[in-house]
Amino acid sequence: MPEAAIRRSAEPFLFRTLAIAFTVFIVGYILVPILVTLVMSFNDAAMIRFPITVWSLRWYADFFGSAQWTDALRNSIVIAAGTAVISTSAGILCAWAFQRFPIPGRDALYVLIMLPLFMPGVVLGLGVAIAFGGLSIGGYSFYGSRAMVMLAHSLWAMPLVFMLMEATFRTVDNRIVEASYDLGGGPVRTFFEIVLPMVSTGIVSSLLFAFVISLNEFVMALFLTDRDTQTLPVLMWLSLRSAGTPRLAVASVILALTVFACLSLIMLWYIRQLRKVSQ
Amino acid sequence: MTAVASESEATFAAQRQAELRRRALAPWILMLPALLIVVIFFGLPMLLMARMSFNLHIDQRLYVPGFTFEHYVNLFSNPLFTNAIWTTVQLSVLASLATVFIGYVFAMLVWLKPPRWRLLMIGLALCPLLISEIAIIFGWWMFFPKNGLLSFALLSSGLISDKISLMYTEFAAFIGLIYVTLPFCFFILLSIFDGLDKRLLEASADLGASPVTTFREVLLPLTWTGILVAFSQSFIWTIGTYATPSALGPDTLWTMGFLIQEQMLGKHNWPMASAFAAVLVIGVACVMAITRSMQSKRTAFHA
């Protein structure tokens, strides 16, 4: 019996130690690549090498002084904005249809819309490149254009928006929609003036999530862009293959900052909405 | 009088008809943009890709229309390709197992810990999800090599006497893969844990079960479905990815994703790349179907 008693008292201690050790491990694991990148971006030397002796903003100046890199950043932002608009509008309309109307073959359609989300980017990129590789409409080459990449990125962003908005629309009180119909609001007017303002937080979240997905994606973009339209992650990937310099760390930091700016926007919007409700 | 009544009745019926037709048509108009995107940019490319995989590949041209099983035969007989398939499956299974294990412990701790830590931990778990895969690769790319942070930290703490490099090893590829898939597993498992009643643990302890027994007999069976879903999610993710293993792993680590990219952009062999992609898609679909059937069997059993 005493042996069992000792085990009993030792056990909580053992589990607590294990839990702390695991927490330290996971925090370290997740933060290491982020912190390494952040620190390296302020390095002055041209080589990736630890320890860092001289600190400067040299590589930030280099990044913003290089037309190739700023063009890539601009391409990324334009493509991400386009993806956000395309996938959010398509996803919202589709989710509203699922919410309001009885649809024949509902489950099959649901699977069809969600399916691209589970496909590897390399497969989607290859497929789109094969299907539209030589296509040009009226002298405008579709392949390699930004529009092409936006639509390809929408294959991942749109199902996510659809999923998010479907859940959001479920919180909409149907009686308010019916009341709007009874007061003479047509379906279109009701949708734009009653329903959309009620789900504005969902819309803002959808827009920004789609933006972030497109901003970070680079496998499809690698298959579908050319020199003039390549995005920042594609350029980073190509230069990592040749040689890594602190410029890449700067690019990583800028990408991450853009993403966190988007997140802050979501938070601010959310807080604003909460304030409105409480007033 | 009756004529007028029947006339207005007729217009009413016509209006009703139009209304019904409009109601039947409306959802399709609303779904049109989404369906167009999915059908034109996903369905059509997949069909064309399947067709492409049977085309011929003659003297360095992208493809020559034709019909041959050559690429599929090649895929399953050429040791270069069979090895790639085998390596990819092995790597994905191992990485997914490790991810599920780490994600499970992480989610369990967040579930058990007091709520004030919760938001912080969830924010932490979101980081890998929000950072571009390329930035993550580059982060590890600076951590593992000879002049990287790991070597420097170990050297200055006196644990080793000579610089070491873990770059371009399977271990590095592994660490990178787990990092990218961890958040998916974590959030799937956390949502499962959140659905459980913590008093179950107390009840089990009151009945005299040790923590290990409680885990094995209570927690594990209740979270089994979540483990399955998390595993298949991360398997699907790792089997399709190529950037992380090819950038961090050894040059000999040829995954299917890498070979697709290589055949497409390097060798300009579109039919071969398509055959590879088709096999990959079938593999992903099989894993999804198996997971679904196991899931529904379990729910049917519990019901």
Side-chain angles (χ1 to χ4, degrees):
Chain A
M1 260 342 244
E3 214 174 282
I6 289 166
R7 233 186 60 204
R8 268 285 145 87
S9 64
E11 249 168 14
F13 177 73
L14 184 72
F15 281 113
R16 188 165 286 255
T17 321
L18 276 178
I20 291 171
F22 183 84
T23 311
V24 169
F25 158 75
I26 200 89
V27 171
Y29 181 45
I30 291 177
L31 290 183
V32 155
I34 300 170
L35 294 181
V36 171
T37 311
L38 196 61
V39 166
M40 187 48 81
S41 71
F42 296 106
N43 186 9
D44 185 66
M47 290 265 288
I48 307 265
R49 174 188 278 276
F50 282 91
I52 294 167
T53 44
V54 187
W55 304 84
S56 79
L57 290 173
R58 171 187 160 198
W59 289 104
Y60 282 88
D62 179 88
F63 181 94
F64 287 107
S66 148
Q68 194 191 12
W69 287 85
T70 45
D71 279 352
L73 180 62
R74 193 167 43 234
N75 280 331
S76 273
I77 289 174
V78 169
I79 286 171
T83 307
V85 171
I86 292 170
S87 54
T88 306
S89 28
I92 286 178
L93 291 178
C94 191
W96 182 241
F98 266 69
Q99 163 73 17
R100 279 298 290 179
F101 298 95
I103 299 166
R106 190 187 175 89
D107 291 345
L109 279 173
Y110 189 87
V111 171
L112 179 70
I113 289 164
M114 295 303 291
L115 202 56
L117 190 59
F118 295 95
M119 287 295 138
V122 75
V123 171
L124 291 179
L126 178 72
V128 173
I130 286 174
F132 301 101
L135 185 70
S136 62
I137 303 164
Y140 174 75
S141 162
F142 197 48
Y143 185 65
S145 72
R146 291 171 178 160
M148 178 86 261
V149 187
M150 288 175 198
L151 285 162
H153 282 174
S154 297
L155 290 177
W156 272 0
M158 203 255 305
L160 274 177
V161 171
F162 171 69
M163 210 161 68
L164 188 74
M165 288 313 291
E166 227 218 335
T168 314
F169 278 139
R170 264 191 230 131
T171 63
V172 170
D173 192 342
N174 249 327
R175 286 170 303 183
I176 297 174
V177 180
E178 298 297 335
S180 165
Y181 283 152
D182 289 347
L183 292 172
V188 176
R189 200 166 159 208
T190 305
F191 180 69
F192 281 102
E193 290 184 15
I194 306 293
V195 179
L196 286 192
M198 279 200 288
V199 294
S200 59
T201 308
I203 296 171
V204 171
S205 311
S206 302
L207 275 172
L208 293 171
F209 276 127
F211 186 88
V212 167
I213 286 173
S214 169
L215 194 71
N216 284 340
E217 203 287 331
F218 80 97
V219 177
M220 285 189 238
L222 182 66
F223 279 66
L224 299 173
T225 50
D226 55 26
R227 263 192 112 63
D228 296 324
T229 53
Q230 70 187 183
T231 61
L232 189 56
V234 170
L235 186 59
M236 286 170 70
W237 170 250
L238 295 175
S239 32
L240 180 66
R241 302 258 77 179
S242 53
T245 57
R247 194 196 283 129
L248 279 171
V250 172
S252 297
V253 171
I254 286 167
L255 260 188
L257 280 182
T258 320
V259 170
F260 283 105
C262 286
L263 274 195
S264 323
L265 276 180
I266 297 183
M267 293 294 261
L268 283 179
W269 185 274
Y270 190 67
I271 292 167
R272 211 190 77 149
Q273 291 303 109
L274 282 184
R275 283 234 181 90
K276 250 193 206 166
V277 170
S278 65
Q279 264 166 16
Chain B
M1 184 85 178
T2 46
V4 172
S6 70
E7 202 172 288
S8 74
E9 226 162 69
T11 40
F12 183 71
Q15 265 174 2
R16 233 188 111 66
Q17 278 288 316
E19 167 74 19
L20 279 177
R21 221 174 308 134
R22 202 174 54 82
R23 270 193 77 82
L25 204 63
W28 295 101
I29 293 171
L30 287 173
M31 287 191 295
L32 192 66
L35 288 180
L36 277 181
I37 291 176
V38 171
V39 168
I40 295 180
F41 293 95
F42 175 67
L44 181 71
M46 287 301 118
L47 288 179
L48 288 174
M49 196 184 77
R51 173 68 190 89
M52 175 65 78
S53 66
F54 296 109
N55 276 335
L56 309 171
H57 177 68
I58 306 169
D59 21 273
Q60 304 310 313
R61 282 152 71 187
L62 292 180
Y63 66 94
V64 179
F67 192 84
T68 171
F69 284 102
E70 188 195 319
H71 306 292
Y72 286 99
V73 174
N74 199 355
L75 197 68
F76 289 110
S77 59
N78 187 337
L80 186 74
F81 297 140
T82 49
N83 277 347
I85 296 176
W86 182 229
T87 314
T88 314
V89 171
Q90 249 178 329
L91 191 74
S92 309
V93 169
L94 286 176
S96 308
L97 281 177
T99 314
V100 169
F101 175 73
I102 298 174
Y104 192 89
V105 179
F106 190 17
M108 191 165 65
L109 280 181
V110 172
W111 179 60
L112 288 172
K113 267 188 183 165
R116 68 199 142 104
W117 294 108
R118 192 184 161 87
L119 215 59
L120 208 63
M121 285 302 184
I122 287 177
L124 191 71
L126 270 174
C127 283
L129 206 63
L130 293 172
I131 291 173
S132 178
E133 196 187 349
I134 180 71
I136 294 168
I137 292 173
F138 186 60
W140 290 116
W141 197 88
M142 290 184 287
F143 183 69
F144 284 123
K146 227 174 172 167
N147 289 322
L149 184 64
L150 179 70
S151 170
F152 172 66
L154 289 178
L155 201 63
S156 45
S157 66
L159 282 171
I160 51 168
S161 55
D162 211 10
K163 284 183 176 178
I164 54 156
S165 167
L166 288 176
M167 195 60 199
Y168 306 123
T169 60
E170 272 163 23
F171 177 75
F174 227 70
I175 295 288
L177 276 179
I178 294 172
Y179 192 90
V180 179
T181 44
L182 188 62
F184 297 105
C185 278
F186 170 76
F187 285 111
I188 290 170
L189 289 166
L190 186 64
S191 72
I192 298 283
F193 273 117
D194 281 340
L196 299 182
D197 193 335
K198 272 185 212 167
R199 283 171 303 182
L200 280 173
L201 301 184
E202 286 168 32
S204 172
D206 287 348
L207 293 171
S210 71
V212 176
T213 318
T214 304
F215 175 75
R216 203 182 54 223
E217 301 289 330
V218 179
L219 224 45
L220 204 56
L222 283 172
T223 49
W224 189 245
T225 319
I227 293 176
L228 270 181
V229 175
F231 180 82
S232 75
Q233 256 314 304
S234 83
F235 183 81
I236 287 170
W237 212 99
T238 32
I239 203 165
T241 187
Y242 85 96
T244 308
S246 76
L248 297 176
D251 286 344
T252 49
L253 188 72
W254 285 16
T255 60
M256 289 172 79
F258 176 75
L259 279 181
I260 293 175
Q261 190 258 158
E262 170 82 4
Q263 293 292 334
M264 168 86 185
L265 300 177
K267 298 240 163 62
H268 296 295
N269 186 349
W270 286 22
M272 192 71 224
S274 303
F276 243 120
V279 171
L280 191 59
V281 169
I282 292 167
V284 168
C286 285
V287 173
M288 279 171 77
I290 292 170
T291 323
R292 269 201 98 94
S293 73
M294 282 171 94
Q295 237 175 299
S296 54
K297 218 181 272 169
R298 276 198 78 81
T299 31
F301 174 74
H302 283 298

Short mmCIF file of all heavy atoms in Angstrom, two decimals, chain B residues 97 100-105 107-108 111-112 189 192-193 196-197 200-201 204 209-231 298 301-302:
data_model
loop_
_atom_site.label_atom_id
_atom_site.label_comp_id
_atom_site.label_asym_id
_atom_site.label_seq_id
_atom_site.Cartn_x
_atom_site.Cartn_y
_atom_site.Cartn_z
N LEU B 97 1.06 11.28 -38.21
CA LEU B 97 1.00 10.67 -36.87
C LEU B 97 1.60 11.61 -35.84
O LEU B 97 1.01 11.85 -34.78
CB LEU B 97 1.75 9.33 -36.86
CG LEU B 97 1.02 8.14 -37.46
CD1 LEU B 97 1.92 6.91 -37.45
CD2 LEU B 97 -0.26 7.85 -36.67
N VAL B 100 -0.68 14.63 -35.30
CA VAL B 100 -1.86 14.31 -34.50
C VAL B 100 -1.47 14.17 -33.04
O VAL B 100 -2.16 14.68 -32.16
CB VAL B 100 -2.55 13.03 -35.02
CG1 VAL B 100 -3.61 12.57 -34.04
CG2 VAL B 100 -3.16 13.29 -36.37
N PHE B 101 -0.33 13.53 -32.78
CA PHE B 101 0.11 13.37 -31.39
C PHE B 101 0.34 14.73 -30.73
O PHE B 101 -0.22 15.02 -29.67
CB PHE B 101 1.38 12.51 -31.35
CG PHE B 101 1.96 12.39 -29.97
CD1 PHE B 101 1.33 11.59 -29.02
CD2 PHE B 101 3.09 13.10 -29.60
CE1 PHE B 101 1.83 11.49 -27.74
CE2 PHE B 101 3.60 13.01 -28.32
CZ PHE B 101 2.97 12.20 -27.39
N ILE B 102 1.14 15.58 -31.38
CA ILE B 102 1.44 16.89 -30.79
C ILE B 102 0.17 17.72 -30.68
O ILE B 102 -0.11 18.34 -29.64
CB ILE B 102 2.50 17.63 -31.64
CG1 ILE B 102 3.80 16.85 -31.63
CG2 ILE B 102 2.74 19.03 -31.09
CD1 ILE B 102 4.86 17.41 -32.53
N GLY B 103 -0.63 17.70 -31.75
CA GLY B 103 -1.87 18.47 -31.73
C GLY B 103 -2.81 17.99 -30.64
O GLY B 103 -3.48 18.79 -29.98
N TYR B 104 -2.84 16.69 -30.40
CA TYR B 104 -3.73 16.12 -29.39
C TYR B 104 -3.33 16.60 -28.00
O TYR B 104 -4.16 17.07 -27.22
CB TYR B 104 -3.67 14.59 -29.46
CG TYR B 104 -4.76 13.89 -28.66
CD1 TYR B 104 -5.98 13.61 -29.25
CD2 TYR B 104 -4.56 13.53 -27.34
CE1 TYR B 104 -6.98 12.98 -28.55
CE2 TYR B 104 -5.55 12.91 -26.62
CZ TYR B 104 -6.76 12.62 -27.22
OH TYR B 104 -7.76 12.01 -26.51
N VAL B 105 -2.03 16.49 -27.70
CA VAL B 105 -1.55 16.92 -26.37
C VAL B 105 -1.79 18.41 -26.19
O VAL B 105 -2.27 18.86 -25.14
CB VAL B 105 -0.06 16.57 -26.19
CG1 VAL B 105 0.43 17.03 -24.83
CG2 VAL B 105 0.15 15.08 -26.36
N ALA B 107 -4.03 20.36 -27.70
CA ALA B 107 -5.45 20.66 -27.54
C ALA B 107 -5.94 20.25 -26.16
O ALA B 107 -6.73 20.95 -25.52
CB ALA B 107 -6.26 19.96 -28.63
N MET B 108 -5.43 19.10 -25.67
CA MET B 108 -5.88 18.62 -24.36
C MET B 108 -5.44 19.60 -23.26
O MET B 108 -6.20 19.91 -22.35
CB MET B 108 -5.31 17.23 -24.10
CG MET B 108 -5.90 16.54 -22.90
SD MET B 108 -5.53 14.78 -22.91
CE MET B 108 -3.78 14.81 -22.72
N TRP B 111 -7.51 22.64 -23.31
CA TRP B 111 -8.84 22.31 -22.77
C TRP B 111 -8.82 22.24 -21.25
O TRP B 111 -9.73 22.71 -20.57
CB TRP B 111 -9.28 20.97 -23.37
CG TRP B 111 -10.62 20.49 -22.91
CD1 TRP B 111 -11.82 21.11 -23.04
CD2 TRP B 111 -10.89 19.25 -22.24
NE1 TRP B 111 -12.82 20.34 -22.52
CE2 TRP B 111 -12.27 19.19 -22.02
CE3 TRP B 111 -10.09 18.17 -21.83
CZ2 TRP B 111 -12.88 18.10 -21.39
CZ3 TRP B 111 -10.69 17.10 -21.22
CH2 TRP B 111 -12.07 17.07 -21.00
N LEU B 112 -7.73 21.67 -20.71
CA LEU B 112 -7.66 21.48 -19.25
C LEU B 112 -7.25 22.74 -18.52
O LEU B 112 -7.61 22.95 -17.37
CB LEU B 112 -6.67 20.36 -18.92
CG LEU B 112 -7.12 18.95 -19.26
CD1 LEU B 112 -5.98 17.97 -19.05
CD2 LEU B 112 -8.32 18.54 -18.40
N LEU B 189 -9.15 19.02 -33.10
CA LEU B 189 -9.19 18.30 -31.84
C LEU B 189 -9.72 19.17 -30.70
O LEU B 189 -10.45 18.68 -29.84
CB LEU B 189 -7.79 17.76 -31.51
CG LEU B 189 -7.38 16.62 -32.43
CD1 LEU B 189 -5.90 16.32 -32.32
CD2 LEU B 189 -8.18 15.36 -32.11
N ILE B 192 -13.37 19.11 -30.66
CA ILE B 192 -13.89 17.86 -30.10
C ILE B 192 -13.82 17.90 -28.57
O ILE B 192 -14.78 17.58 -27.88
CB ILE B 192 -13.06 16.66 -30.62
CG1 ILE B 192 -13.17 16.54 -32.13
CG2 ILE B 192 -13.48 15.37 -29.93
CD1 ILE B 192 -14.45 15.96 -32.62
N PHE B 193 -12.66 18.34 -28.05
CA PHE B 193 -12.51 18.41 -26.59
C PHE B 193 -13.54 19.35 -25.97
O PHE B 193 -14.08 19.09 -24.90
CB PHE B 193 -11.10 18.90 -26.22
CG PHE B 193 -10.09 17.79 -26.15
CD1 PHE B 193 -9.01 17.74 -27.00
CD2 PHE B 193 -10.23 16.79 -25.20
CE1 PHE B 193 -8.09 16.72 -26.93
CE2 PHE B 193 -9.31 15.76 -25.12
CZ PHE B 193 -8.24 15.73 -26.00
N LEU B 196 -16.75 18.00 -24.83
CA LEU B 196 -16.79 17.02 -23.73
C LEU B 196 -17.04 17.72 -22.39
O LEU B 196 -16.71 18.89 -22.21
CB LEU B 196 -15.47 16.27 -23.64
CG LEU B 196 -15.04 15.45 -24.85
CD1 LEU B 196 -13.74 14.74 -24.54
CD2 LEU B 196 -16.11 14.45 -25.22
N ASP B 197 -17.59 16.97 -21.47
CA ASP B 197 -17.86 17.48 -20.12
C ASP B 197 -16.67 17.14 -19.23
O ASP B 197 -16.32 15.97 -19.08
CB ASP B 197 -19.13 16.83 -19.58
CG ASP B 197 -19.62 17.54 -18.33
OD1 ASP B 197 -18.79 18.17 -17.66
OD2 ASP B 197 -20.82 17.44 -18.05
N LEU B 200 -16.56 14.44 -16.47
CA LEU B 200 -16.30 13.02 -16.76
C LEU B 200 -14.98 12.58 -16.12
O LEU B 200 -14.87 11.47 -15.60
CB LEU B 200 -16.21 12.81 -18.27
CG LEU B 200 -17.51 12.71 -19.06
CD1 LEU B 200 -17.20 12.66 -20.53
CD2 LEU B 200 -18.27 11.46 -18.63
N LEU B 201 -13.98 13.46 -16.17
CA LEU B 201 -12.67 13.13 -15.63
C LEU B 201 -12.76 12.95 -14.12
O LEU B 201 -12.22 12.00 -13.55
CB LEU B 201 -11.65 14.22 -15.96
CG LEU B 201 -11.42 14.51 -17.43
CD1 LEU B 201 -10.31 15.54 -17.59
CD2 LEU B 201 -11.07 13.24 -18.18
N SER B 204 -14.52 9.76 -13.26
CA SER B 204 -13.64 8.61 -13.45
C SER B 204 -12.65 8.49 -12.30
O SER B 204 -12.39 7.41 -11.78
CB SER B 204 -12.92 8.74 -14.79
OG SER B 204 -11.96 7.75 -14.91
N ALA B 209 -10.16 5.40 -10.89
CA ALA B 209 -9.29 5.17 -12.03
C ALA B 209 -8.09 6.10 -11.96
O ALA B 209 -8.22 7.26 -11.57
CB ALA B 209 -10.06 5.41 -13.32
N SER B 210 -6.93 5.59 -12.33
CA SER B 210 -5.74 6.44 -12.39
C SER B 210 -5.85 7.31 -13.65
O SER B 210 -6.63 7.00 -14.55
CB SER B 210 -4.50 5.57 -12.47
OG SER B 210 -4.44 4.96 -13.73
N PRO B 211 -5.09 8.41 -13.70
CA PRO B 211 -5.16 9.28 -14.88
C PRO B 211 -4.94 8.51 -16.19
O PRO B 211 -5.60 8.79 -17.19
CB PRO B 211 -4.03 10.28 -14.64
CG PRO B 211 -3.88 10.33 -13.18
CD PRO B 211 -4.21 8.96 -12.67
N VAL B 212 -4.02 7.55 -16.16
CA VAL B 212 -3.74 6.80 -17.39
C VAL B 212 -4.97 5.98 -17.80
O VAL B 212 -5.35 5.95 -18.97
CB VAL B 212 -2.51 5.89 -17.19
CG1 VAL B 212 -2.29 5.04 -18.44
CG2 VAL B 212 -1.28 6.71 -16.88
N THR B 213 -5.60 5.34 -16.81
CA THR B 213 -6.81 4.56 -17.11
C THR B 213 -7.91 5.48 -17.62
O THR B 213 -8.61 5.15 -18.57
CB THR B 213 -7.30 3.82 -15.85
OG1 THR B 213 -6.17 3.30 -15.18
CG2 THR B 213 -8.26 2.72 -16.21
N THR B 214 -8.07 6.63 -16.96
CA THR B 214 -9.10 7.58 -17.39
C THR B 214 -8.88 7.97 -18.84
O THR B 214 -9.80 8.00 -19.66
CB THR B 214 -9.05 8.85 -16.52
OG1 THR B 214 -9.20 8.48 -15.18
CG2 THR B 214 -10.14 9.82 -16.91
N PHE B 215 -7.61 8.23 -19.17
CA PHE B 215 -7.29 8.63 -20.53
C PHE B 215 -7.66 7.51 -21.50
O PHE B 215 -8.32 7.74 -22.50
CB PHE B 215 -5.80 8.96 -20.64
CG PHE B 215 -5.38 9.26 -22.03
CD1 PHE B 215 -5.70 10.47 -22.62
CD2 PHE B 215 -4.68 8.33 -22.78
CE1 PHE B 215 -5.32 10.75 -23.91
CE2 PHE B 215 -4.30 8.60 -24.08
CZ PHE B 215 -4.62 9.81 -24.64
N ARG B 216 -7.25 6.28 -21.16
CA ARG B 216 -7.43 5.16 -22.09
C ARG B 216 -8.90 4.77 -22.22
O ARG B 216 -9.37 4.47 -23.31
CB ARG B 216 -6.60 3.97 -21.60
CG ARG B 216 -6.27 2.98 -22.71
CD ARG B 216 -5.50 1.81 -22.16
NE ARG B 216 -6.20 1.17 -21.07
CZ ARG B 216 -5.62 0.76 -19.95
NH1 ARG B 216 -4.32 0.92 -19.78
NH2 ARG B 216 -6.32 0.19 -18.99
N GLU B 217 -9.62 4.80 -21.09
CA GLU B 217 -10.98 4.25 -21.10
C GLU B 217 -12.05 5.32 -21.36
O GLU B 217 -13.14 4.99 -21.81
CB GLU B 217 -11.28 3.56 -19.75
CG GLU B 217 -10.34 2.42 -19.40
CD GLU B 217 -10.57 1.21 -20.29
OE1 GLU B 217 -11.71 1.02 -20.73
OE2 GLU B 217 -9.59 0.48 -20.55
N VAL B 218 -11.74 6.58 -21.04
CA VAL B 218 -12.77 7.62 -21.18
C VAL B 218 -12.44 8.60 -22.31
O VAL B 218 -13.22 8.76 -23.26
CB VAL B 218 -12.95 8.40 -19.85
CG1 VAL B 218 -14.00 9.48 -20.02
CG2 VAL B 218 -13.32 7.44 -18.75
N LEU B 219 -11.26 9.23 -22.19
CA LEU B 219 -10.93 10.31 -23.12
C LEU B 219 -10.69 9.82 -24.54
O LEU B 219 -11.22 10.38 -25.50
CB LEU B 219 -9.68 11.04 -22.59
CG LEU B 219 -9.71 12.55 -22.62
CD1 LEU B 219 -11.03 13.09 -22.12
CD2 LEU B 219 -8.56 13.10 -21.82
N LEU B 220 -9.90 8.76 -24.66
CA LEU B 220 -9.53 8.28 -25.99
C LEU B 220 -10.74 7.83 -26.81
O LEU B 220 -10.89 8.25 -27.96
CB LEU B 220 -8.49 7.17 -25.86
CG LEU B 220 -7.58 6.96 -27.07
CD1 LEU B 220 -6.86 8.24 -27.42
CD2 LEU B 220 -6.57 5.85 -26.78
N PRO B 221 -11.63 7.00 -26.24
CA PRO B 221 -12.80 6.60 -27.05
C PRO B 221 -13.67 7.77 -27.45
O PRO B 221 -14.22 7.79 -28.55
CB PRO B 221 -13.57 5.67 -26.11
CG PRO B 221 -12.59 5.21 -25.10
CD PRO B 221 -11.61 6.31 -24.94
N LEU B 222 -13.77 8.80 -26.57
CA LEU B 222 -14.63 9.93 -26.88
C LEU B 222 -14.05 10.84 -27.96
O LEU B 222 -14.78 11.56 -28.64
CB LEU B 222 -14.88 10.75 -25.61
CG LEU B 222 -15.90 10.15 -24.64
CD1 LEU B 222 -15.92 10.95 -23.36
CD2 LEU B 222 -17.27 10.10 -25.26
N THR B 223 -12.71 10.82 -28.09
CA THR B 223 -12.10 11.73 -29.06
C THR B 223 -11.63 10.99 -30.32
O THR B 223 -10.98 11.57 -31.17
CB THR B 223 -10.89 12.44 -28.43
OG1 THR B 223 -10.06 11.46 -27.81
CG2 THR B 223 -11.31 13.46 -27.41
N TRP B 224 -11.96 9.71 -30.41
CA TRP B 224 -11.45 8.89 -31.50
C TRP B 224 -11.82 9.47 -32.87
O TRP B 224 -10.98 9.53 -33.78
CB TRP B 224 -11.96 7.46 -31.34
CG TRP B 224 -11.32 6.53 -32.30
CD1 TRP B 224 -11.93 5.85 -33.29
CD2 TRP B 224 -9.93 6.18 -32.36
NE1 TRP B 224 -11.00 5.11 -33.97
CE2 TRP B 224 -9.77 5.30 -33.43
CE3 TRP B 224 -8.80 6.56 -31.63
CZ2 TRP B 224 -8.53 4.77 -33.78
CZ3 TRP B 224 -7.56 6.04 -31.99
CH2 TRP B 224 -7.44 5.15 -33.03
N THR B 225 -13.06 9.91 -33.03
CA THR B 225 -13.50 10.47 -34.31
C THR B 225 -12.65 11.69 -34.68
O THR B 225 -12.23 11.84 -35.83
CB THR B 225 -14.97 10.90 -34.23
OG1 THR B 225 -15.68 9.93 -33.50
CG2 THR B 225 -15.58 11.05 -35.59
N GLY B 226 -12.40 12.54 -33.69
CA GLY B 226 -11.59 13.73 -33.93
C GLY B 226 -10.19 13.35 -34.38
O GLY B 226 -9.63 13.97 -35.29
N ILE B 227 -9.64 12.31 -33.76
CA ILE B 227 -8.30 11.87 -34.15
C ILE B 227 -8.29 11.42 -35.60
O ILE B 227 -7.40 11.78 -36.38
CB ILE B 227 -7.83 10.72 -33.22
CG1 ILE B 227 -7.63 11.25 -31.81
CG2 ILE B 227 -6.54 10.10 -33.74
CD1 ILE B 227 -7.27 10.19 -30.81
N LEU B 228 -9.31 10.66 -35.98
CA LEU B 228 -9.40 10.20 -37.37
C LEU B 228 -9.47 11.36 -38.35
O LEU B 228 -8.73 11.40 -39.34
CB LEU B 228 -10.67 9.35 -37.54
CG LEU B 228 -10.55 7.87 -37.30
CD1 LEU B 228 -11.90 7.20 -37.53
CD2 LEU B 228 -9.52 7.29 -38.26
N VAL B 229 -10.37 12.32 -38.05
CA VAL B 229 -10.53 13.46 -38.95
C VAL B 229 -9.23 14.26 -39.03
O VAL B 229 -8.79 14.63 -40.12
CB VAL B 229 -11.69 14.36 -38.49
CG1 VAL B 229 -11.78 15.60 -39.34
CG2 VAL B 229 -12.99 13.60 -38.53
N ALA B 230 -8.61 14.48 -37.86
CA ALA B 230 -7.37 15.25 -37.83
C ALA B 230 -6.29 14.53 -38.63
O ALA B 230 -5.55 15.15 -39.40
CB ALA B 230 -6.91 15.46 -36.39
N PHE B 231 -6.22 13.21 -38.47
CA PHE B 231 -5.20 12.45 -39.20
C PHE B 231 -5.42 12.57 -40.71
O PHE B 231 -4.49 12.84 -41.46
CB PHE B 231 -5.22 10.98 -38.78
CG PHE B 231 -4.19 10.15 -39.49
CD1 PHE B 231 -2.88 10.13 -39.05
CD2 PHE B 231 -4.52 9.42 -40.62
CE1 PHE B 231 -1.92 9.40 -39.72
CE2 PHE B 231 -3.57 8.68 -41.30
CZ PHE B 231 -2.27 8.67 -40.84
N ARG B 298 -18.89 4.63 -36.85
CA ARG B 298 -18.81 4.90 -35.42
C ARG B 298 -20.08 5.56 -34.90
O ARG B 298 -20.61 5.19 -33.87
CB ARG B 298 -17.61 5.80 -35.11
CG ARG B 298 -16.33 5.04 -34.97
CD ARG B 298 -15.29 5.88 -34.26
NE ARG B 298 -15.52 5.90 -32.83
CZ ARG B 298 -15.14 4.92 -32.01
NH1 ARG B 298 -14.56 3.86 -32.49
NH2 ARG B 298 -15.34 5.01 -30.72
N PHE B 301 -22.77 3.14 -34.70
CA PHE B 301 -22.57 2.26 -33.56
C PHE B 301 -23.06 2.91 -32.27
O PHE B 301 -23.75 2.29 -31.46
CB PHE B 301 -21.08 1.92 -33.47
CG PHE B 301 -20.71 1.13 -32.25
CD1 PHE B 301 -21.02 -0.21 -32.16
CD2 PHE B 301 -20.04 1.73 -31.20
CE1 PHE B 301 -20.68 -0.94 -31.04
CE2 PHE B 301 -19.69 1.01 -30.08
CZ PHE B 301 -20.01 -0.33 -30.01
N HIS B 302 -22.72 4.19 -32.11
CA HIS B 302 -23.11 4.88 -30.88
C HIS B 302 -24.61 5.14 -30.83
O HIS B 302 -25.20 5.18 -29.77
CB HIS B 302 -22.34 6.18 -30.70
CG HIS B 302 -20.94 5.93 -30.24
ND1 HIS B 302 -20.67 5.33 -29.05
CD2 HIS B 302 -19.74 6.16 -30.82
CE1 HIS B 302 -19.37 5.22 -28.91
NE2 HIS B 302 -18.78 5.70 -29.97
#
